[in-house]
Structure formats: structure tokens, C-alpha cells
Amino acid sequence: MKIAKALTIAGSDSGGGAGIQADLKTFQERGVYGMSVITAVTAQNTLGVKSFHKVPTAILDDQLAAIREDLMPQAVKTGMLVDAEVIQHVAAELKNWSGIQLVIDPVMIAKGGEALLEREALQALQEDLLPLATLITPNIPEAEALVGMRIETAEAVEKAARMLIDLGAGAALIKGGHANTEQATDFFFSPQESIWLSSERFDTPHTHGTGCTFSACITAELAKGKSLVESVRTGKEFIRCAIKETLGIGHGHGPTNHFAYRECEQK
């Protein structure tokens, strides 16, 4: 039996709700063998990020080489990349990985407001990594930073998505969780098609790791050979269930429920 493999390149979350931990949980739930390259170690919980330590680039390079030599994945996602140096090292390596699909979750700000991507890294993300992307999945504040414009209307969302394609991404998914709308509405755009995806909005503080989990599910589906649109649709339903069936743990922004989708499928 051929097993689909997916790799996450991101930071470690000691609270288990986001980053590497959320990605690996999601990969497992979607029947994909998950691997990781850790860019940073964070000390965090549902109340916020206390500190983080960047993994030395020599160790980063060794992790990437170890995967390439023995466990080449069908799909890769990136999350917290810390700074320009890390982005450039990751991009230089991934340029040589033929046939993989790359999902970029441009993690810039933690749920509590802490910056997780240094400002000077933005240009490296735009110029070095974005042109390698099959899909980029920013939320609205991240999309605003990437394209340099305010996004306050549906028309602006569509314009921003097109701008991300112009920057080199194969497709863009702008997530609407931060928008002041009745439903949680995301916009997917590629040169071939565009779709709006809406789901009910839940009144809960337990949304830590939603971006990581959403993009990880998409990555897992791509690793299994699903189309980009199929993968995005599955990811949307996966995260809807993960938010709806809250775990209710922690004293701040609690994690989503990574095993809720199994129960949703059975209903």
C-alpha cells in the first residue's frame, strides 16, 4: 500500500494547539504520514507566546536534507518561518524538490497579537518563497501585509487574491475569519477558477491554531492526490467542525478540536 506523505516546516507549539503539533495531528486525522522540520521552539499556551528560540540554520538544513534523502513527501506546508534567513534557506532547498505541492501559511501574528515573523522577512517571503507556492493561505491581516493594501470589502478581497497570483503564487485562499461578517467566508482564486466558501461563525474564543489546521488539512489532501479545489473544500469543512466541537481547554484562546471531523462525517 502506497502511503501519502506530507511535511510541515514550522515552529513547535508547546501548548499543542498550533504549529508543528497541530499540523501532525491533522495529517494523522486525514490518513497521511506526517513529518516535520522545526524552525523555532516556542514556549506558549492558550494565554500567549512567552518566548521562542530560532533553530540554528545548520540544523534546519540538516532536517530538510534528511527528509529529501529518504522520505520525500508529495506535499509540503510552511508555517512560522521566523526571519529572512530561514525563508531563504527553505526556499533554496525546496526549489530542488521536483513534483511537490507547496502550501504557504504565512504565519505572521499569533492569536494573542505577538509577532511571529520579523518585518524584514516579508520581502524574502514575497520574492523567494511565494513563487514556489501551489497555494498561499493568508488571513486578511496577513494578506494586507503581503499586498500592501487595506482589505475591507469583497471587491478588495478579490483584488488582493489576484495580486498574490501576480506575485507568483499558483493560487490564493484568503480566509475571512477576521472580517466583520455574519458568516466565516473565504475566497479561493486561481487562474482557472474562483469560489467563495462560507460557513457559520461560532462565538468561541477557542480558535488557536485555526490557520495551521486549515492549511495542514489542505496539504494532506493534496498529498493524497486530490485537486486543489477538493482539498480547499475539505479543509474548510475540517476546520468548521474543529471550531464547532470545541474542546474548551485552557484559560485563553483554546485549541481547535482536531478529531472533530471524524464525528462530523458520521452524522
Side-chain angles (χ1 to χ4, degrees):
M1 180 174 64
K2 185 177 180 180
I3 301 297
K5 300 186 295 296
L7 170 68
T8 170
I9 306 172
S12 170
D13 174 2
S14 55
I20 292 289
Q21 287 81 353
D23 295 342
L24 292 178
K25 290 173 185 177
T26 303
F27 291 165
Q28 186 78 7
E29 286 296 314
R30 299 308 302 145
V32 169
Y33 181 77
M35 301 165 290
S36 64
V37 167
I38 298 176
T39 60
V41 177
T42 72
Q44 65 176 294
N45 52 31
T46 66
L47 298 174
V49 179
K50 298 182 179 298
S51 62
F52 74 87
H53 175 71
K54 174 184 169 182
V55 170
T57 51
I59 300 298
L60 173 70
D61 291 342
D62 283 349
Q63 290 179 85
L64 288 164
I67 297 298
R68 169 174 40 82
E69 291 167 5
D70 188 44
L71 294 162
M72 184 64 81
Q74 286 79 37
V76 178
K77 70 151 285 189
T78 63
M80 178 186 177
L81 295 179
V82 188
D83 60 18
E85 182 182 39
V86 169
I87 292 170
Q88 289 162 352
H89 275 248
V90 169
E93 175 68 32
L94 293 184
K95 282 178 183 177
N96 301 316
W97 291 22
S98 62
I100 63 155
Q101 304 216 55
L102 174 62
V103 176
I104 297 176
D105 181 24
V107 179
M108 298 179 184
I109 302 171
K111 191 68 66 179
E114 301 84 0
L116 295 179
L117 182 68
E118 296 177 359
R119 291 184 182 277
E120 56 265 30
L122 186 60
Q123 184 175 356
L125 180 63
Q126 293 168 320
E127 297 179 358
D128 297 314
L129 196 60
L130 193 56
L132 305 179
T134 303
L135 176 71
I136 185 167
T137 64
N139 58 34
I140 287 177
E142 291 162 349
E144 288 179 336
L146 285 164
V147 302
M149 60 173 275
R150 293 286 294 169
I151 302 174
E152 297 176 327
T153 65
E155 291 75 19
V157 169
E158 293 180 356
K159 180 179 179 180
R162 291 186 177 89
M163 291 173 71
L164 290 170
I165 303 303
D166 291 340
L167 286 170
L173 175 69
I174 298 183
K175 299 170 294 188
H178 288 74
N180 186 24
T181 55
E182 186 174 337
Q183 290 191 309
T185 301
D186 311 321
F187 180 65
F188 170 82
F189 178 80
S190 76
Q192 292 74 40
E193 60 188 312
S194 62
I195 53 173
W196 287 92
L197 298 164
S198 294
S199 65
E200 57 194 310
R201 186 182 292 276
F202 303 105
D203 184 16
T204 175
H206 302 303
T207 57
H208 179 54
T210 52
C212 303
T213 301
F214 195 169
S215 58
C217 184
I218 294 170
T219 305
E221 298 306 305
L222 290 172
K224 293 186 290 188
K226 302 293 185 181
S227 72
L228 195 48
V229 171
E230 283 181 299
S231 300
V232 168
R233 288 188 184 278
T234 300
K236 178 69 170 176
E237 180 62 12
F238 189 94
I239 197 60
R240 185 192 72 81
C241 295
I243 296 172
K244 179 182 179 182
E245 304 297 334
T246 180
L247 295 171
I249 60 176
H251 296 89
H253 294 287
T256 63
N257 183 347
H258 292 96
F259 46 81
Y261 187 66
R262 280 179 281 168
E263 298 177 4
C264 287
E265 282 188 306
Q266 294 168 3
K267 292 179 181 178

